[in-house]
Every structure is written in structure tokens, then in C-alpha cells.
Amino acid sequence: MGEFTDKLDAAGNKIAGKAKELYGDATDNAELEAEGKAQQLKGSAQDVKGTVKGKLNDL
């Protein structure tokens, strides 16, 4: 995957994760809330991965 694809996947995971976290909080579902936080972390990692790929391609 390229930089753009990684960043797009990252954005999707961050949005979906935040939605799960908020829904889990609203419904007192700690498991769903934790899953949402984990998905947001995955998105952040994908964002870093995309940034690194972009920097490597610039060399």
C-alpha cells in the first residue's frame, strides 16, 4: 500500500474507532468503548506508517 492508502485507512479507523468509543460510552458498554480506543490507536499507527512511506519516497 502507498502513502495515500495508508492515510485513508488511518482516517477510516480513527473515525470508526471514535464512533465505537462514543457509542460504548453512551450505552455503558466498556468492551465496545475499549475496542473503539484500540481502533483509533490502529488508525494513528497507520497514519505514522503512511507518513514514513511518504518521507522515504521523497528521498
Side-chain angles (χ1 to χ4, degrees), residues 1 15 19-21 24 32 39-40 42 45 49 53-54 57:
M1 286 192 280
I15 292 167
K20 284 181 184 179
E21 180 185 0
L32 186 60
Q39 191 167 1
Q40 288 179 75
K42 179 181 177 183
K49 179 181 170 186
K53 281 184 179 180
N57 287 335

Side-chain angles (χ1 to χ4, degrees), residues 28-59:
D28 290 328
N29 185 336
E31 186 176 330
L32 186 60
E33 190 175 350
E35 185 179 322
K37 288 179 182 181
Q39 191 167 1
Q40 288 179 75
L41 285 174
K42 179 181 177 183
S44 294
Q46 286 173 318
D47 199 19
V48 170
K49 179 181 170 186
T51 299
V52 168
K53 281 184 179 180
K55 296 291 181 189
L56 288 175
N57 287 335
D58 290 343
L59 295 179

